Amino acid sequence: MTAPPQASTKPLRKSAVKPRKTLRELFLHRLPHYNGPYNVGYMDIEVPVRNPRPVSDLRRNGKPVLRLDTVLMGIYYPCDLQSHNGAGKPHRVDWMPRPRAATAKGYAKYLHIPALPVTAYLACTSLYTKLPAFRNAKLAAHWPEDIRNDTGPTGQKAREEEENPTSRPKFPVIIFSHGLGGSRLCYSSICGELASFGFFVIAIEHRDGSGARTYVSLPSNVEAAAIESSTADLHTNNEGKEHTSDKKVQRRRKKGVNPYYVMDYILPKDNAQDTSPHNRRGVDHILRSAQIELRQEEIKEAFYILNLINSGRGDEVASLNLRKKGNIGSSSIGLNGVDWEDWKDRMFLSKVTMMGHSFGGATTVQICRDDSLTWLGQGIILDAWGQATPPGGKTLKERITKPIISISSEVFMHWKDNFDKIVEFSNEARDSGALCWMLTVVGSTHLAMTDLAVLYPQWMSILMKSMVDPLRAVSLTTTASLEFLKIILPPEQTKYNMWADEKLLQSAEPPSEPEESLRSDHAPDHKWVAVRLKIPNEFTVRLRVWVRRTWRFIVCTGREVADLSGGLQDFGQKDEIWTHMCPTHEAVQEHLNQVR
């Protein structure tokens, strides 16, 4: 007679636990909890690259402009707070990258605003904001609780695996590329939301001079003289840039702290406003192409690190990690408490998704053209800066051949040159036979997909005339992305999904021409193209929304109301997304039949 299986000491299915609000969050700006069935963990990893070197032939003052020394990434992942066995309770993650005050000064420099008022304002609002994510929390080894109610093949398969005490879920991987002025943390609303639905999201902090400020740590065996760059100089120069002198390097080495250099935003040469649609000189393609080249190399290095972790060599990665106690920009926790055995064979490293916003969207387009990346499966392009996207080549190997979805803001769709570029690379994918969607979130502005819109909704509404609720904009972006991945990813990566699905990709038939789905109701005046929308009868619209919110607040006292946080669009309005391009239902079904 067969003995019944012993009950596991840890349940294999659990629901997410909402983090408690901190005292600061009662008064200061805060980020909302994620909506998926998993809690979210986070860790910082910075390791030296295999071949440190200058990247591209771009030079200034006779020196290389861009260098590849280390790769820095923030990893958002599904975690299990109930089974965390580290030293004490896991700590929530700071939203502003460390060192916070110096990073705030970097943003001031990027925006050409005096540092003192910027730092003071951030200190009063979001400088100490915490992510609803936990540093180094235990990687989830359970399936979502709600899946037990699934009576279909997915639930049946989950129940069969539950009987095997050694089985653990394996999660798909997304690599995220930030835009100009961005960092690994300023898209946490999207990255964390995707992680809460069961993804590893690898947010790379690029060292290509596209971020406001980033700190590049160096191994202790690297000499200052080995760093030859016009922008990453370890010596104090005449311009007073924040770099490290030889004496400071020696003092830090005596204290056991590795040297570092600061990489601030790099202005295009003789063309400071190349991002503006009114710039007569156009985009500085020499600089932007060099930056994309460096970004591609960083992405390849990041994937190499993921391979090491997934193959059971996480301890080796931890031993190389430069984000540890004492080093610049690091949490004192470092990677303490991480059980790397839990991470072995937990990632799907085939059909990896590339995702990026703005300049990161341009990076995603170019990555999806790289035929040598056999592990890359598809791309999610968020409000791409189409003008910075290199043109596709004439041969199939130089063009997009992977499925893509482009989700743009309305403000960028009214920028005709940019819209035409999005159409161009979307057609490039469609002509190769790949599935392609091109969507716009109605009433949104360029920052709607960043944490800034969530933290400062009133400023987004007043200054940029954003009309969509920022939380709804994030929800539409992540839901459309999840629906896309549910179609594109192979069955073994989606069989346990509890992903959000509003059937956004099935809501409309494709128009004959992408321009036919555009509307001009909110089209701005020429001088505000790509910056802000236009709200007809703005005073009346805002007054009506204020009255509606006030009434609902009174009537719904004690209950959460979805549209009290911001946004001028009526939630009852059905037209939340414009569909400019999408495959036919027959093409989608044919793809599903092929992968399954």
Side-chain angles (χ1 to χ4, degrees):
M1 182 175 178
T2 304
Q6 294 182 353
S8 174
T9 58
K10 298 179 181 179
L12 289 179
R13 294 188 180 124
K14 306 171 185 177
S15 57
V17 179
K18 287 188 177 181
R20 294 181 179 178
K21 295 178 183 177
T22 64
L23 183 61
R24 287 193 183 102
E25 288 177 325
L26 297 177
F27 307 100
L28 304 181
H29 294 208
R30 57 189 172 88
L31 294 165
H33 299 309
Y34 306 124
N35 295 303
Y38 287 105
N39 286 109
V40 176
Y42 176 90
M43 65 172 63
D44 277 328
I45 293 179
E46 181 179 13
V47 295
V49 298
R50 290 167 289 178
N51 179 24
R53 65 195 185 278
V55 174
S56 89
D57 297 327
L58 184 63
R59 304 178 76 86
R60 290 184 183 176
N61 302 322
K63 293 183 178 181
V65 174
L66 303 177
R67 286 192 56 86
L68 178 64
D69 290 300
T70 69
V71 60
L72 170 61
M73 54 186 141
I75 301 181
Y76 302 78
Y77 59 92
C79 79
D80 182 1
L81 293 181
Q82 300 175 49
S83 299
H84 181 77
N85 54 5
K89 295 181 179 180
H91 297 276
R92 289 174 61 185
V93 180
D94 294 323
W95 177 73
M96 181 69 73
R98 298 185 181 191
R100 286 184 287 248
T103 301
K105 292 178 182 178
Y107 277 107
K109 180 180 177 182
Y110 169 69
L111 296 170
H112 304 285
I113 300 175
L116 182 59
V118 171
T119 306
Y121 180 70
L122 289 174
C124 294
T125 55
S126 60
L127 196 67
Y128 298 98
T129 292
K130 300 282 187 180
L131 270 62
F134 296 85
R135 190 176 295 277
N136 302 351
K138 183 177 178 60
L139 178 62
H142 63 277
W143 288 274
E145 186 177 33
D146 292 341
I147 204 171
R148 72 171 61 179
N149 300 320
D150 188 346
T151 58
T154 298
Q156 177 63 31
K157 182 67 174 176
R159 283 186 289 275
E160 291 176 0
E161 293 207 11
E162 184 181 18
E163 295 177 1
N164 181 0
T166 63
S167 66
R168 299 177 299 176
K170 196 172 180 178
F171 301 111
V173 174
I174 298 173
I175 298 178
F176 194 96
S177 174
H178 64 72
L180 298 182
S183 71
R184 67 194 186 280
L185 290 163
C186 67
Y187 295 88
S188 70
S189 295
I190 288 178
C191 294
E193 184 75 359
L194 292 170
S196 76
F197 282 101
F199 285 85
F200 288 102
V201 183
I202 317 302
I204 297 177
E205 184 157 305
H206 295 295
R207 279 37 195 289
D208 61 338
S210 64
R213 173 164 293 181
T214 185
Y215 290 82
V216 183
S217 297
L218 295 170
S220 57
N221 60 353
V222 171
E223 296 296 330
I227 305 300
E228 181 191 13
S229 173
S230 61
T231 53
D233 191 351
L234 281 167
H235 300 272
T236 302
N237 58 29
N238 295 329
E239 297 175 358
K241 293 183 179 179
E242 295 185 39
H243 297 313
T244 309
S245 66
D246 283 337
K247 291 182 180 179
K248 288 183 179 179
V249 169
Q250 295 301 326
R251 285 201 297 269
R252 287 191 178 96
R253 283 181 173 174
K254 289 178 180 180
K255 294 180 181 180
V257 178
N258 293 331
Y260 68 91
Y261 62 82
V262 182
M263 175 62 77
D264 282 346
Y265 184 78
I266 299 175
L267 289 171
K269 190 174 183 180
D270 302 323
N271 190 17
Q273 299 298 322
D274 78 330
T275 59
S276 171
H278 307 300
N279 178 20
R280 296 181 180 179
R281 296 184 180 181
V283 175
D284 185 348
H285 283 291
I286 295 177
L287 171 62
R288 301 308 181 191
S289 295
Q291 289 176 317
I292 289 178
E293 182 181 347
L294 175 55
R295 285 168 166 239
Q296 289 177 283
E297 295 304 313
E298 288 175 316
I299 290 165
K300 293 174 185 177
E301 288 293 327
F303 182 77
Y304 172 74
I305 297 301
L306 297 181
N307 256 314
L308 291 180
I309 295 173
N310 202 50
S311 62
R313 299 168 65 185
D315 288 335
E316 295 179 31
V317 174
S319 67
L320 296 171
N321 182 46
L322 298 170
R323 292 280 159 159
K324 57 187 178 181
K325 184 176 181 179
N327 282 18
I328 188 72
S330 304
S331 164
S332 60
I333 300 175
L335 293 176
N336 295 341
V338 178
D339 185 351
W340 294 108
E341 188 62 29
D342 283 348
W343 289 68
K344 184 177 180 180
D345 198 28
R346 300 297 302 280
M347 306 180 198
F348 286 109
L349 292 181
S350 62
K351 299 296 181 180
V352 171
T353 303
M354 188 68 213
M355 187 178 194
H357 174 256
S358 191
F359 193 41
T363 305
T364 300
V365 171
Q366 195 63 10
I367 279 285
C368 287
R369 288 173 174 152
D370 192 338
D371 193 53
S372 68
L373 303 181
T374 56
W375 46 266
L376 186 68
Q378 52 281 323
I380 300 176
I381 301 159
L382 305 181
D383 217 17
W385 180 21
Q387 306 301 96
T389 306
K394 295 181 179 180
T395 66
L396 192 61
K397 289 186 176 182
E398 299 171 319
R399 299 173 68 81
I400 299 174
T401 58
K402 298 174 175 64
I404 61 170
I405 182 171
S406 172
I407 308 172
S408 299
S409 68
E410 183 177 352
V411 76
F412 261 35
M413 288 297 92
H414 293 306
W415 180 6
K416 187 178 185 309
D417 290 342
N418 200 76
F419 181 84
D420 291 342
K421 282 289 186 181
I422 307 292
V423 172
E424 182 181 307
F425 67 66
S426 295
N427 280 327
E428 183 181 320
R430 190 163 64 170
D431 292 344
S432 72
L435 298 183
C436 173
W437 284 262
M438 180 179 169
L439 312 175
T440 291
V441 178
V442 180
S444 62
T445 54
H446 188 55
L447 295 179
M449 299 173 185
T450 71
D451 289 346
L452 292 175
V454 177
L455 292 170
Y456 300 98
Q458 299 303 327
W459 287 124
M460 296 298 111
S461 177
I462 294 170
L463 297 180
M464 298 183 179
K465 312 300 180 186
S466 178
M467 300 185 69
V468 67
D469 182 279
L471 298 182
R472 181 58 178 161
V474 170
S475 176
L476 289 169
T477 301
T478 55
T479 301
S481 300
L482 290 171
E483 291 181 21
F484 167 75
L485 293 174
K486 192 177 295 186
I487 294 171
I488 300 302
L489 288 175
E492 63 268 19
Q493 298 194 30
T494 63
K495 60 185 176 182
Y496 298 118
N497 82 78
M498 297 296 297
W499 304 347
D501 191 343
E502 297 183 29
K503 303 191 183 304
L504 298 175
L505 303 191
Q506 305 174 27
S507 60
E509 291 292 332
S512 56
E513 293 294 335
E515 293 82 359
E516 291 180 3
S517 51
L518 274 175
R519 300 178 187 175
S520 58
D521 300 2
H522 307 142
D525 298 332
H526 180 67
K527 68 177 180 178
W528 296 116
V529 168
V531 177
R532 59 194 285 188
L533 296 171
K534 185 176 183 178
I535 306 174
N537 305 313
E538 183 174 352
F539 176 79
T540 304
V541 169
R542 291 189 183 278
L543 179 62
R544 186 169 61 247
V545 170
W546 179 82
V547 171
R548 185 177 71 242
R549 286 202 191 117
T550 303
W551 171 250
R552 291 187 180 182
F553 179 79
I554 295 172
V555 172
C556 303
T557 301
R559 290 181 293 164
E560 292 186 3
V561 183
D563 61 348
L564 289 179
S565 57
L568 304 180
Q569 297 253 84
D570 188 348
F571 271 113
Q573 184 177 344
K574 294 182 179 179
D575 197 5
E576 294 185 284
I577 283 186
W578 292 331
T579 302
H580 309 293
M581 189 182 299
C582 66
T584 63
H585 296 300
E586 291 77 15
V588 172
Q589 191 58 50
E590 182 181 353
H591 170 82
L592 292 174
N593 293 336
Q594 289 176 351
V595 298
R596 295 175 185 177

